[in-house]
Each structure stands twice: as structure tokens, then as C-alpha cells.
Amino acid sequence: MFSVAPGRLLPGPYRSLFADRTFRRVMPVFALSDLGDGMTVVAVAWFALALGPDGGQGALAGIAVAAYVLPGALGALVLGRWMRQLPARRLLVTDSTLRAVLLGAVPLAHVAGLLTPAVYVGLLGASSLLHAWGKAGKHALFAPLLPEDQRLAANSVISTSLWTATIAGPALAGLRVGVISPAWIIGLNAATFAMLALQTGRTNLPRTPVPPVTGGTQHGLSILRRQPELFGLLLVTWVFNLAFGPVEVALPLFVSDDLDAGAGLLGVYWSAFGSGAVIGALALGAAKRLPLWPAMLGIIAGHGIGMLPFALTDTALPSLIGFAFAGLVYGPYSALSFTLIQDRAPADSLTTVLAARSAVLLTASPLGAALGGFLLDRTSAPAVLVGCGALMILTVPTSIVVLKLCGSRRRRHQPAHDPAERARCTDRDRPAPQHSRLFDQAESSTRD
């Protein structure tokens, strides 16, 4: 449906976005690989339960799920010397090819009788080693190609694809597991990444001048520290992800122990959250202008408010509505944050900055999940879930203080002492004066 001219029913920002031929060619394979990943999130754990030894299935499932995520942070930190030299398209193709080959080896090794638990975890871990760079390339691919006023819509479409996959992917995996082995679902995901690598590699992108890239992931972290808005965004998002981490551990116990229900209701909760997120992300993309910082802080507060109905355990309805509302307000967050980074980071270091950001944020949710497991041994699941919401709400005034401190730091460092650095800062700041004004507004709100 992306190959034809967009219809009049699409809102203006989306209509002009899908009029871009390059976006129409690659977005379908983006969505396909997202769907494959959505299925694999379920299949990885299911297959680990079948593969693990008696008494160790749960431990293997936890290790397998972690192996599919955490090595990306390591790859972002140690491989920057080589990966930072690649343009965004090459980063995406390289990551997709690696995932296609290694995930595709899972069903083949299973059929050959060679897939031990160690081999399984090793293939999953190696497949995710470049994923932070691939994700950076995915979001950096369109930055130089689309006008500034289309970037928010593009990021909203990409976020919507991810949220749609969280709804449809697990459901499709559940239907297929009754027919085929979970190993073949992982192999199917490998095929989607192969298609992503092929389509992205053969798409002709307009030639844009690429300045020489200097520094690795440490350089990306230093850029984040020097840019007050980006550094504040990183801190706020890390705490936000940390606060959400315990939800993934506490929600299953809330459903089984407090509501005395089964896995079906748990799936309803996540479907409600994902459906709300899809609606929220699409609604954001239709908005031409939005005050980014106030919107992001409002999202965090709204998400926290949506978690408070988990205090009611007599029926599922209040918490289900609250969780759907939490998804609705959370849906736009990724698109807003990526748009801010694309506008504020230096063009020659965008993928490095995005990879450094991913490396930092990948630590937050697992740490929050571990903290949630510790707390669940000492308190109830509703208390943990409501506590997550309260922490999110408290994050907002704390974030305003962080923004004020970062703004003070920005004033101390302006103007740049080095003439070359002053020129780079001037060029970098010119395309996004709106965001600087918004940052000043967020800072001035602490004085009102």
C-alpha cells in the first residue's frame, strides 16, 4: 500500500511523508522486521523453556531473553572505532545481515541436533551485538533526506510500527507455536531481517555530503554531555525506563495472584497498552508543532497516573483502563525524543550519538526489572506497580530541576572559546531554534 500515492484521508504531515519515494520503499520492510522481532520476543523464551534442563528452564529463559538485548550495549561501547565510520544505511544493513545469519542458524542447528543451551544463548547474544548501531542507523537514515517538519511524522510512523508489532507479534507467535517449533519462528524473524538488509541495500538514497566522523561511542557520550538538552533528555529517559522496568516483573504476578487470572488476561493488558501506544504515536505524527519538553514531561506524568489504578484489585477493569491510558500517553515519547536528537546532534556524529544513547538506556530497564524482583520478595505486586507510577510522577519536578541546571551550564559555556568549535555550535544550533526556545521555556518554568 506504500507504493501508491498517498490518499487524501491521510493527515497532511503523513501525506507529504509517504509522497517521499525512499520512505515508501523502506518503511514496509521496517514494519516487517518489527513484526518478526515481536514474534521472537515470545519465541525466544518459549524455546528456552523447551531446551533447558529439568529444573533450569526458567533460568535459561531469563538468560536467553537478556542475551537477546544486553550485548547491544557492549557492542555500542567497544565497536565504535569501526562502526562509527559507516554511514547510516551501511550500519542498518550490517546489523540486519548479522541478525539474519545468526538467528537463521538457530532452526538449522536445532534440526541438525547441535543446538545446546550454550549454543542457543551464544547465537542470540552474537546476533544482538550490533543492534544499537543498527537502531541508530535506522533513525539516522532519514534525517538528512527529509525536511525538518517531516521528521516528527517519520519518527511517529517508526514508533507506531514498533508498537503495532508488540500487539500482533506475540499473538501470531502464540498461534504458530501450536503448529511449528519456536525455533522456526526465530528463523522466520531471520528472514525478515534478510529482507530488510536486501531492500535497504538496494534502495538508491540521494547523495548527501557526509563530514568525516571523529571519535567512537565515548565521543557520542561527550557530545551528549556538552549538549544540555540532549544530556537532560538522556537522564530523564534513563530514569523513566528504570521506573518502568519493574512493571514487566510485577504485572504477571498481579494478574495471577491478585486477580486470580491466567495468561490470557496478561495478554489483554499488554494488548491494551500497545493499542493505546499506537493511537498516541499516530496522533502525534499528525501534529505539525508540539512543544517537545513540556510534552515529554507531560507524558511521564500521565504514564505515572495511568499506573495508579493498580491499587484496586477487586476487578481488572480500572487497572486495565489505566494501563491503556499509560500506553496512549507513552506512545509519542520515542518519536519526540528521537526528533529532538536528530535536530540537535551534529550531523556528522548522529549515529554515534544514537548508539551511545542506546548503550546507556539499555541498562535502565533490566536494572529496574531486577529491582522489581527484589521488591516483590518483600511487598505485593500492586504496591510495586503503584510505586512505579509514583516514581514517574516524581520524576517530572526532578526533571525540571535537571533542565534548570543544564540550562545554567549552557549559559556558562557560551560563547565557545575555540573559534572552530564556535562555528560548529553556530551551524548546529541554527536549524532548530524552536527547540532552544522550548528548552528556555522549560527552564523558566522553574522560576514561575
Side-chain angles (χ1 to χ4, degrees), residues 108-171:
L108 298 180
H110 178 56
V111 170
L114 302 175
L115 194 64
T116 64
V119 172
Y120 181 53
V121 171
L123 288 173
L124 292 176
S127 74
S128 67
L129 192 60
L130 300 180
H131 201 44
W133 290 102
K135 186 176 181 180
K138 181 179 181 179
H139 284 276
L141 187 67
F142 298 111
L145 306 179
L146 296 175
E148 182 183 345
D149 59 357
Q150 290 185 5
R151 291 178 184 174
L152 184 59
N155 288 323
S156 297
V157 171
I158 294 173
S159 297
T160 300
S161 174
L162 289 170
W163 286 120
T164 303
T166 65
I167 302 170

Side-chain angles (χ1 to χ4, degrees), residues 18 41 64 121 151 165 188 260 304 360 401 427:
F18 283 106
V41 167
V121 171
R151 291 178 184 174
L188 183 61
D260 195 24
V360 173
V401 174
D427 293 339

Side-chain angles (χ1 to χ4, degrees), residues 84-108:
R84 63 183 171 82
Q85 303 292 341
L86 301 179
R89 179 171 68 171
R90 185 69 62 83
L91 288 173
L92 182 57
V93 170
T94 302
D95 172 55
S96 300
T97 302
L98 180 68
R99 290 174 80 89
V101 171
L102 295 179
L103 294 178
V106 170
L108 298 180

Side-chain angles (χ1 to χ4, degrees), residues 11-14 17 149-160 163 276-296 299 327-340 434-435:
Y14 289 127
L17 176 64
D149 59 357
Q150 290 185 5
R151 291 178 184 174
L152 184 59
N155 288 323
S156 297
V157 171
I158 294 173
S159 297
T160 300
W163 286 120
V278 168
I279 297 172
L282 286 174
L284 170 73
K288 292 183 178 180
R289 290 184 178 274
L290 198 65
L292 296 186
W293 272 112
M296 286 190 286
I299 286 171
L328 178 68
V329 298
Y330 179 68
Y333 190 85
S334 294
L336 285 169
S337 60
F338 277 118
T339 300
L340 181 60
Q434 178 189 7
H435 297 154

Side-chain angles (χ1 to χ4, degrees), residues 25-26 89 93 195-205:
R25 284 179 64 88
V26 299
R89 179 171 68 171
V93 170
M195 294 180 64
L196 175 60
L198 179 63
Q199 181 71 346
T200 305
R202 64 195 292 262
T203 299
N204 292 323
L205 298 176

Side-chain angles (χ1 to χ4, degrees), residues 413 415-425:
H413 285 274
H417 298 293
D418 177 46
E421 177 66 20
R422 185 185 299 116
R424 285 194 297 269
C425 291

